[in-house]
Amino acid sequence: MTSSASERPETPADRQESSLRSDPVDQLPKSWNPGEVETELYQGWVDAGYFEADPSSGKPPYSIVLPPPNVTGSLHMGHALDHTLMDALSRRKRMLGFEVLWLPGMDHAGIATQSVVEKQLAVDGKTKEDFGRELFIDKVWDWKRESGGTILGQMRRIGDGVDWNRERFTMDDGLSEAVQTMFKRMYDDGLIYRAERLVNWSPVLQTAISDIEVKFEDVEGELVSLRYGSLKDDEPHVVVATTRVETMLGDTAVAVHPDDERYKHLIGTTLEHPFTGRQIPIIADDYVDPEFGTGAVKITPAHDPNDFEMGLRHNLPMPTIMDKTGTIADTGTEFDGLDRFDARVKVREALAAQGRVVAEKRPYLHSVGHSERSGESIEPRLSLQWWVKVDGLAKAAGDAVRNGDTVIHPASQEPRWFAWVDNMHDWCISRQLWWGHRIPIWYGPDGESVCLGPGETAPEGWEQDPDVLDTWFSSGLWPFSTMGWPAATDELAKFYPTSVLVTGYDILFFWVARMMMFGTYVSSDASLNAGETPGKVPFKDLFLHGLVRDQFGKKMSKSKGNGIDPLDWVDRFGADALRFTLARGANPGADLSVGEDHAQSSRNFANKLFNATKFALMNGAAPAELPARVELTDADRWILDRLDHVRAEVDTAFERFEFSKACEALYHFAWDEVCDWYLEIAKVQLADESHVESTRAVLGNVLDALLRLLHPVIPFVTETLWKVLTGGESVVVAAWPDASGDAADPVAAQRISDMQKLITEVRRFRSDQGLKPSQKVAAQLVGIEAADLARQVPATRALAKLTDPDADFTATASVEVRLSNATVTVELDTSGTVDLVAERARLVKDLAAAEKELAQTTGKLGNDAFLAKAPDAVVDKIRSRQQIATEEIARIAARLETMGQ
């Protein structure tokens, strides 16, 4: 009876073929090319469900909500930093055994999104009014489905481990219900009211805009001094100055300080307005600075924030002199119908014709607020809007930090937080847009009004308020609305309050403050108290990182042309390089500067890891149970102890949100200690049969732990290497490395430190002698036993490229190295290894170059005119070059002297 192929005995050839097929190295590409693997790796993680959160899990919860990017947005460097840090925190906590929810989503971005669609309509000569409100909103939804959310695909490119099944949008039905619920509760509690107040008005967008959408820029304008009252110096008059002379059409008073002797006799009198005929009273107010200008200021309550407050104090009339387009209107003057900028010229000319322009200063540099969205200068304008009364809400948000319910990292940002929330003004929440959450107030035919909650309907014939809510209102509910509030959901019970909010310090006052106000306001809600801990705050930790700047520390901007597209770096260097560059520069609250050199360095780091792991695999390294510590070499014990130390350092840094420290510790451990030292020592140990298996195990274990420690920041290369090294399912769901529990071996550490110093000094001497790095030189190691380095001799000789001396050995040079407990003298025979003539010629040439450099730098530093104009950074760089040149001259001269020159 013949046996089948499956039944025949395995032959040596079979075993060899099987070994070849299962060789781990064959599972790796020849070199690390991130673009070939990143997309497939990421989709594999998503398909495996690694990022999905289970609210029924018994694991401790860890939750982060993604600061929702605008639906119109695309990934910029600030986003990339945000996302890298959140992903690193999430991945590490998942490896530590937490049930992690990182919840993604987008903001409907009222102004930005409506503007995009309106511009598309304008191409065909259409406006939103041509379609009406409902059809226009349908078109915005169409745009959102077809073109919105570009950034979500870009998030996948950089490896965001978010739970895509829970993706939310601020205009989703559930979030809309949350918005309507919150509005009604606050309205019923008397916290939302309607009033005519001063707002930031955009004449182009024809809506009120928030403070965060106003950017102040210095512009060249004019300062006009004009005269109210008599044109005769000996008759009652007052001179005031303004950069916006057209607003004098809305002047209703002139203010002076009550103690200003120049004007005391005029307080309470009136002067005639030169165009409207209104009688303008002269009032006294402590706000006026008598030392500034003439000590008198014009008051236009409807078009200036400070004037508005003064108008309230003195019960002044507040005529609005511009319509919503920025056109002069309802003044009853010849200027009605003029654009505000044209009116500025015409009013000044008319005043000059009357002899009322006392002085003009052009150009006059002053700061003017501009709309971030449309670019035009904003107009402070009195307008009927909806407001949130913030006094109590802001106090609760401040107390949450004072009481430690929410901890701000870094603590240095706390004073800014308190300065803001303790002095917050009521919040304008209405916008004159069509796209957004419409204000749930309905008006009856006889002037009645009612606020409707979810599921409630208005009586027939009633009309809804046309305005929509500020985008910050809905995004302020984001931490709990995305988890199902106002319903009491399993997600809220498990994951709320969220663990940490990661965001830039630049929106501390806007988005963060609103989330804190809303979170503390609804803290008694049963849906937020379903868990063991009351939902007093929306997040327990608030980590504020800095801004990403270019390599010269300049703020990135389109106008400067110094912006960096993070996706360009992903294409060129890989997602890991982008992430490591950003995380390595991220210190709490501090800005970080990045450039292409940083990205290339990070790419080199990924390559270094790849090559090191590939070498280890080629030599049979794999994680395994280690022999007893006494059976390990000094180098083995040293690297394992260093791993323990670095793991603890990384843990501490992560818990303190010190990403830069964590990355620096891992970078130097991986590159300087594992790759530059232990791998080189391992090559020597692998050639010794008595150390082969233990070296493979130590190397495998160290790389296994190192890849896991690095995974949160550089997930793609670590996943590729870890799976091959360990045969594990995925490093995404691997356990975070634990401490070994072994006591550190200071003796082994000292021996390795002494060996490193000895090798480094010999290498430096060889370099000074002009020896090639690969050139081997015979040498005697005198005093090596006294230095307690006898067991390090093989590695020392291998790494310093020193061979054993033969019978004819004659020392021609020596290096003395003072170590921790003895001096070792390395006697070398360099005869025949150096071409003295060529070496002298090279040194003479190098000396001339160094002397030229010294002369040039000394000349610049001695030039007073240059020093007066050059930036400090340039001067410091030249001083550094001068110092290097000085040291190089001394080094070369000493070398030539030893050669007999």
Side-chain angles (χ1 to χ4, degrees):
M1 184 177 187
T2 59
S3 62
S4 66
S6 61
E7 294 172 331
R8 74 177 167 79
E10 186 181 48
T11 67
D14 293 330
R15 287 194 292 272
Q16 181 179 12
E17 181 180 353
S18 175
S19 174
L20 289 172
R21 283 199 306 268
S22 62
D23 186 348
V25 179
D26 292 341
Q27 300 174 44
L28 290 177
K30 290 184 178 179
S31 60
W32 177 238
N33 189 341
E36 293 179 354
V37 299
E38 288 177 348
T39 300
E40 184 178 349
L41 283 176
Y42 184 82
Q43 192 57 47
W45 295 332
V46 174
D47 293 343
Y50 294 150
F51 306 141
E52 295 174 14
D54 179 8
S56 65
S57 163
K59 299 176 181 179
Y62 187 82
S63 56
I64 300 178
V65 292
L66 177 78
N70 286 355
V71 66
T72 59
S74 59
L75 198 75
H76 57 62
M77 273 298 184
H79 288 132
L81 173 61
D82 250 358
H83 293 214
T84 294
L85 303 185
M86 283 183 279
D87 195 37
L89 291 171
S90 299
R91 287 178 183 268
R92 175 174 174 270
K93 287 294 185 179
R94 188 179 292 111
M95 297 172 76
L96 279 165
F98 285 75
E99 189 64 40
V100 174
L101 169 62
W102 184 17
L103 194 150
M106 292 184 298
D107 191 288
H108 65 277
I111 291 176
T113 307
Q114 179 163 321
S115 296
V116 167
V117 179
E118 285 194 86
K119 286 177 182 177
Q120 289 184 346
L121 297 180
V123 173
D124 297 324
K126 301 287 187 181
T127 67
K128 66 180 188 296
E129 285 77 12
D130 293 325
F131 295 89
R133 186 168 193 140
E134 298 305 319
L135 280 178
F136 176 76
I137 291 174
D138 287 343
K139 287 188 172 294
V140 180
W141 277 110
D142 289 342
W143 177 88
K144 188 262 182 185
R145 284 187 287 269
E146 294 171 8
S147 306
T150 298
I151 197 170
L152 298 181
Q154 295 173 329
M155 287 165 57
R156 294 172 179 265
R157 292 285 309 280
I158 66 171
D160 281 7
V162 297
D163 187 344
W164 290 109
N165 293 331
R166 299 178 185 277
E167 179 191 336
R168 304 307 299 268
F169 181 55
T170 49
M171 292 279 285
D172 286 348
D173 290 341
L175 273 69
S176 294
E177 180 183 349
V179 168
Q180 196 171 356
T181 299
M182 178 62 76
F183 187 99
K184 181 168 176 56
R185 289 190 185 184
M186 297 181 75
Y187 180 84
D188 290 346
D189 285 347
L191 295 175
I192 289 180
Y193 64 94
R194 197 182 193 203
E196 196 172 40
R197 297 280 185 85
L198 213 64
V199 297
N200 299 312
W201 186 264
S202 167
V204 171
L205 300 172
Q206 296 181 25
T207 180
I209 61 176
S210 70
D211 290 339
I212 197 173
E213 291 158 336
V214 177
K215 302 298 180 185
F216 284 87
E217 303 171 5
D218 285 339
V219 299
E220 288 187 355
E222 62 181 7
L223 182 66
V224 177
S225 296
L226 63 98
R227 183 170 183 145
Y228 270 110
S230 174
L231 297 177
K232 297 180 179 179
D233 292 342
D234 57 350
E235 294 181 358
H237 69 276
V238 176
V239 175
V240 297
T242 179
T243 57
R244 302 198 313 145
V245 70
E246 73 281 3
T247 63
M248 64 87 60
L249 297 172
D251 284 356
T252 57
V254 171
V256 298
H257 193 276
D259 298 329
D260 193 331
E261 294 294 338
R262 293 171 295 177
Y263 301 113
K264 271 191 174 182
H265 67 290
L266 293 177
I267 295 173
T269 64
T270 63
L271 302 172
E272 184 176 347
H273 192 286
F275 299 124
T276 67
R278 276 196 309 269
Q279 290 299 308
I280 305 297
I282 299 178
I283 61 174
D285 196 287
D286 290 335
Y287 171 79
V288 180
D289 180 2
E291 302 299 322
F292 181 77
T294 63
V297 293
K298 60 186 285 298
I299 306 301
T300 318
H303 293 276
D304 182 272
N306 296 318
D307 292 4
F308 175 74
E309 295 298 330
M310 202 178 301
L312 290 177
R313 288 196 294 274
H314 295 273
N315 197 29
L316 297 175
M318 299 186 181
T320 298
I321 63 166
M322 296 180 202
D323 65 16
K324 63 183 181 180
T325 68
T327 300
I328 304 298
D330 301 325
T331 66
T333 69
E334 62 189 280
F335 309 108
D336 283 356
L338 291 176
D339 172 80
R340 54 182 172 155
F341 300 113
D342 294 335
R344 183 171 300 171
V345 175
K346 296 298 184 182
V347 169
R348 174 172 43 78
E349 290 175 348
L351 287 169
Q354 291 185 18
R356 296 191 177 278
V357 175
V358 176
E360 296 178 70
K361 184 177 182 180
R362 295 194 203 95
Y364 180 74
L365 194 68
H366 62 123
S367 182
V368 176
H370 289 73
S371 167
E372 184 182 42
R373 300 295 177 190
S374 51
E376 93 279 21
S377 58
I378 62 104
E379 184 64 42
R381 183 172 184 264
L382 194 63
S383 179
L384 185 62
Q385 302 283 348
W386 287 95
W387 303 81
V388 170
K389 191 181 297 183
V390 302
D391 288 348
L393 299 172
K395 181 181 185 305
D399 289 345
V401 174
R402 289 187 180 93
N403 299 336
D405 297 326
T406 292
V407 179
I408 294 179
H409 308 268
S412 60
Q413 290 289 339
E414 284 187 6
R416 296 182 69 215
W417 171 256
F418 295 130
W420 176 259
V421 297
D422 292 346
N423 298 282
M424 192 181 294
H425 299 293
D426 284 1
W427 169 23
C428 177
I429 57 172
S430 47
R431 298 291 180 264
Q432 290 62 57
L433 303 171
W434 286 358
W435 171 247
H437 295 282
R438 196 164 175 180
I439 289 176
I441 298 289
W442 293 73
Y443 304 104
D446 297 321
E448 315 98 314
S449 65
V450 63
C451 179
L452 299 181
E456 298 177 343
T457 56
E460 186 175 349
W462 287 45
E463 294 186 357
Q464 188 173 2
D465 194 291
D467 290 351
V468 300
L469 286 165
D470 178 12
T471 299
W472 297 102
F473 192 98
S474 51
S475 61
L477 311 181
W478 189 251
F480 48 89
S481 65
T482 51
M483 296 189 199
W485 185 88
T489 65
D490 293 340
E491 286 76 9
L492 283 168
K494 179 76 173 180
F495 297 111
Y496 189 86
T498 61
S499 304
V500 61
L501 176 73
V502 177
T503 190
Y505 64 69
D506 54 326
I507 60 172
L508 172 65
F509 312 134
F510 302 100
W511 184 48
V512 177
R514 279 140 180 75
M515 285 189 290
M516 288 287 280
M517 289 193 298
F518 284 141
T520 52
Y521 171 66
V522 297
S523 62
S524 60
D525 191 294
S527 64
L528 297 183
N529 283 304
E532 296 179 3
T533 305
K536 295 180 180 178
V537 291
F539 29 80
K540 298 169 188 174
D541 287 296
L542 170 57
F543 171 67
L544 300 169
H545 59 73
L547 306 180
V548 184
R549 299 180 178 273
D550 70 12
Q551 59 186 326
F552 304 108
K554 303 291 185 183
K555 186 175 180 179
M556 291 185 183
S557 70
K558 291 181 181 178
S559 60
K560 293 178 181 176
N562 64 341
I564 300 171
D565 181 352
L567 273 300
D568 175 56
W569 277 13
V570 172
D571 290 336
R572 296 168 59 200
F573 307 115
D576 288 332
L578 168 71
R579 294 167 60 110
F580 194 74
T581 298
L582 294 172
R584 193 178 179 188
N587 285 307
D591 293 347
L592 60 151
S593 299
V594 297
E596 194 166 298
D597 289 349
H598 300 98
Q600 184 62 60
S601 173
S602 297
R603 169 63 191 268
N604 293 344
F605 181 54
N607 287 340
K608 189 82 168 180
L609 282 176
F610 182 87
N611 293 331
T613 307
K614 192 170 185 178
F615 165 82
L617 290 168
M618 290 172 63
N619 285 276
E625 185 175 350
L626 294 172
R629 292 269 291 186
V630 295
E631 297 178 26
L632 298 175
T633 67
D634 287 336
D636 294 338
R637 291 194 293 274
W638 164 74
I639 200 65
L640 290 169
D641 290 347
R642 287 296 303 141
L643 174 63
D644 261 351
H645 178 84
V646 169
R647 183 206 58 78
E649 192 176 354
V650 169
D651 277 339
T652 299
F654 264 115
E655 293 301 320
R656 294 177 178 173
F657 305 103
E658 295 172 340
F659 298 92
S660 178
K661 286 187 178 180
C663 290
E664 283 297 307
L666 287 169
Y667 176 88
H668 289 293
F669 175 67
W671 193 299
D672 301 343
E673 296 179 310
V674 175
C675 295
D676 284 359
W677 286 106
Y678 185 73
L679 272 181
E680 297 304 312
I681 296 170
K683 292 176 184 178
V684 180
Q685 295 184 174
L686 288 168
D688 183 341
E689 267 191 39
S690 62
H691 295 311
V692 171
E693 293 307 317
S694 59
T695 301
R696 286 172 173 169
V698 170
L699 185 53
N701 286 2
V702 168
L703 287 174
D704 167 28
L706 175 60
L707 293 172
R708 283 184 282 154
L709 289 169
L710 282 164
H711 174 73
V713 179
I714 49 174
F716 293 104
V717 69
T718 52
E719 172 81 337
T720 301
L721 297 173
W722 188 87
K723 288 171 68 174
V724 176
L725 177 71
T726 67
E729 177 188 345
S730 171
V731 71
V732 177
V733 290
W736 187 252
D738 287 325
S740 69
D742 295 322
D745 186 341
V747 175
Q750 187 60 63
R751 288 172 182 158
I752 298 303
S753 176
D754 283 344
M755 182 186 74
Q756 290 172 330
K757 183 176 181 181
L758 179 60
I759 293 169
T760 300
E761 290 302 318
V762 172
R763 286 173 172 172
R764 182 178 292 116
F765 176 80
R766 288 171 56 98
S767 175
D768 289 343
Q769 295 294 313
L771 294 172
K772 296 177 181 178
S774 61
Q775 192 171 4
K776 294 184 177 181
V777 179
Q780 289 185 153
L781 307 178
V782 180
I784 201 77
E785 291 82 3
D788 196 21
L789 294 182
R791 281 178 288 184
Q792 320 307 329
V793 168
T796 300
R797 287 191 175 278
L799 273 62
K801 293 293 187 291
L802 304 176
T803 61
D804 289 323
D806 57 21
D808 298 327
F809 175 82
T810 302
T812 60
S814 65
V815 183
E816 285 191 2
V817 184
R818 176 64 188 172
L819 302 179
S820 61
N821 57 2
T823 297
V824 173
T825 302
V826 182
E827 298 178 343
L828 305 99
D829 180 4
T830 59
S831 59
T833 61
V834 180
D835 182 339
L836 294 179
V837 174
E839 178 64 7
R840 287 192 189 101
R842 183 185 70 81
L843 289 171
V844 168
K845 183 178 179 181
D846 289 350
L847 180 62
E851 288 173 339
K852 181 179 180 181
E853 172 75 352
L854 179 62
Q856 289 178 340
T857 53
T858 301
K860 286 186 177 181
L861 294 173
N863 185 333
D864 292 339
F866 169 78
L867 293 176
K869 295 180 180 179
D872 290 344
V874 172
V875 175
D876 289 343
K877 188 173 183 179
I878 292 174
R879 286 200 179 102
S880 177
R881 286 170 49 196
Q882 182 191 47
Q883 179 65 26
I884 292 171
T886 301
E887 293 173 356
E888 190 70 355
I889 289 170
R891 184 189 67 81
I892 295 171
R895 173 73 180 118
L896 286 170
E897 186 176 351
T898 64
M899 298 178 69
Q901 288 264 326

